């Protein structure tokens, strides 16, 4: 049976240290023991949607190192179809993550094998991509690969969800395929010269729609999300929770959104569910390790 969600994106080993404060230039601080956890925006989305019971596949590349084995195992354990998880010689992607006292995170990504996921790989997986209900894309893999995957999906009638993370400039024809474009307030401001992340989310959503995406979702952390379509905007609340670690919460949100869209929800209904999944994802350490499973009680 065809997949509900196909993720084309990154897989990283997350090397996580908790710190009381981050070092300035030339400074050393001591942190917690190192935790090595499966992550990467693409893999996080695939695992989150798989845990929620979705039929999910991932097109991605690991390296041929121990991290690659860890990453494949995590995807497999979540029920994700890894038949298109390719292996390159050399290191897997790695994310160096510090988690601060406010449960906030700072991340540096070394792309490793993610940088070797090519348009050729996309074309070789066109059968899987084209048969999906929703194809989910982020920007930790080469941009030509993202553009190729978006076109392959759209040409075959699959819905394209584009998470502009990390924020980089993208061609307008890629934005035009997004339905929705998913951004946080900082990524929204990045796309909108002259606007600030602190601007009214309705204003940001309206301005983003003028860039061409069919719809937009602005994620707002504890403040929920703002959904924008040509018919108007709607605010979606987030349950109030005490965060432990916010790493990967946005990926869980996007995964849940994709899954509900694949199952026929309208965008606002899908975003209401996604906000609850995103809230659940901040309640534990790490990204994937805190994702809820199908049937788990979600914060409300
Ligand atoms: O969104 C969180 C993810 O960003 C982490 O898992 C890390 O791998 C980086 O890709």
């Amino acid at each position: 049976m065809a997949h509900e969600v196909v993720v084309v994106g990154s897989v990283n080993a997350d090397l996580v240290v908790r710190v009381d404060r981050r070092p300035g230039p030339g400074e050393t601080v001591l942190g917690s023991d190192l935790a090595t956890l499966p992550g990467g925006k693409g893999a996080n989305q695939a695992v989150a949607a798989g845990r929620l019971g979705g039929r999910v596949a991932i097109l991605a590349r690991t390296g041929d190192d121990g991290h690659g084995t860890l990453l494949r195992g995590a995807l497999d354990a979540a029920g994700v179809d890894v038949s298109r998880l390719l292996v390159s010689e050399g290191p897997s992607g790695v994310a160096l993550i510090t988690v601060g006292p406010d449960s906030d995170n700072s991340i540096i990504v070394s792309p490793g094998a993610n940088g070797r996921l090519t348009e050729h790989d996309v074309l070789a997986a066109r059968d899987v991509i084209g048969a999906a209900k929703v194809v989910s894309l982020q920007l930790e893999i080469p941009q030509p690969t993202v553009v190729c995957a978006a076109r392959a999906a759209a040409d075959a009638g699959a819905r394209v969800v584009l998470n502009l993370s990390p924020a980089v400039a993208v061609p307008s024809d890629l934005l035009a395929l997004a339905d929705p474009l998913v951004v946080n307030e900082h990524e929204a401001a990045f796309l909108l010269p002259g606007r600030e992340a602190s601007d009214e989310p309705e204003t940001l959503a309206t301005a983003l729609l003028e860039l061409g995406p069919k719809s937009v979702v602005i994620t707002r952390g504890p403040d929920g999300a703002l959904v924008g379509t040509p018919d108007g905007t709607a605010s979606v609340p987030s349950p109030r929770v005490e965060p432990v670690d916010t790493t990967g919460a946005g990926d869980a949100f996007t995964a849940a959104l994709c899954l509900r869209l694949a199952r026929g929800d309208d965008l606002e209904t899908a975003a209401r569910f996604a906000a609850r999944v995103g809230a659940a994802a901040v309640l534990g350490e790490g990204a994937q390790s805190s994702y809820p499973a199908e049937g788990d009680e979600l914060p409300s």
Side-chain angles (χ1 to χ4, degrees):
M1 210 189 296
H3 299 98
E4 293 171 296
V5 179
V6 171
V7 178
V8 181
S10 59
V11 287
N12 296 329
D14 288 355
L15 309 187
V16 187
V17 177
R18 291 195 87 100
V19 290
D20 290 333
R21 66 179 182 85
R22 298 188 171 82
E27 195 186 7
T28 301
V29 300
L30 295 183
S32 67
D33 283 356
L34 176 73
T36 303
L37 302 170
K41 294 184 194 308
N44 291 348
Q45 290 188 8
V47 164
R51 287 247 180 93
L52 291 170
R55 290 193 313 279
V56 183
I58 187 164
L59 172 64
R61 272 192 185 274
T62 70
D64 58 357
D65 52 3
H67 288 156
T69 310
L70 169 83
L71 298 166
R72 179 177 296 272
L75 288 157
D76 206 25
V80 176
D81 175 354
V82 290
S83 61
R84 310 301 167 112
L85 180 61
L86 310 171
V87 180
S88 295
E89 262 183 40
S92 298
V94 167
L96 307 175
I97 303 180
T98 53
V99 180
D102 296 334
S103 314
D104 54 322
N105 59 68
S106 306
I107 306 181
I108 299 173
V109 171
S110 165
N114 296 306
R116 289 184 269 285
L117 190 71
T118 63
E119 294 160 277
H120 177 79
D121 296 330
V122 169
L123 296 178
R126 219 170 4 191
D127 53 336
V128 173
I129 291 171
K133 290 249 189 291
V134 170
V135 172
S136 184
L137 304 165
Q138 332 76 38
L139 298 176
E140 286 185 333
I141 57 173
Q143 205 177 107
T145 309
V146 176
V147 171
C148 183
R151 288 206 185 112
D155 287 351
R159 184 168 186 162
V160 175
V161 174
L162 173 65
N163 180 206
L164 196 95
S165 183
V168 292
V170 291
S172 54
D173 55 342
L174 175 60
L175 287 181
L177 296 176
D179 186 17
L181 171 70
V182 181
V183 288
N184 64 28
E185 292 144 312
H186 301 282
E187 292 155 356
F190 172 87
L191 283 178
L192 299 168
R195 302 273 182 202
E196 304 287 339
S198 55
D199 285 357
E200 286 299 317
E202 289 80 4
T203 311
L204 293 175
T206 305
L208 286 172
L209 284 170
E210 284 167 12
L211 298 179
K214 297 183 178 68
S215 58
V216 298
V217 175
I218 301 177
T219 57
R220 307 180 59 225
D223 294 325
L226 198 282
V227 171
T229 70
D231 296 332
T233 60
S235 186
V236 167
S238 171
R240 289 287 154 196
V241 292
E242 209 45 61
V244 174
D245 180 354
T246 58
T247 308
D251 304 329
F253 176 100
T254 304
L257 185 84
C258 288
L259 185 58
R260 285 304 182 100
L261 290 174
R263 292 181 175 178
D265 277 6
D266 62 59
L267 191 57
E268 183 182 336
T269 308
R272 284 184 188 280
F273 175 71
R276 296 178 67 199
V277 172
V282 305
L283 297 177
E285 304 273 354
Q288 297 176 17
S289 38
S290 55
Y291 291 168
E294 187 180 22
D296 283 356
E297 198 174 327
L298 298 173
S300 55

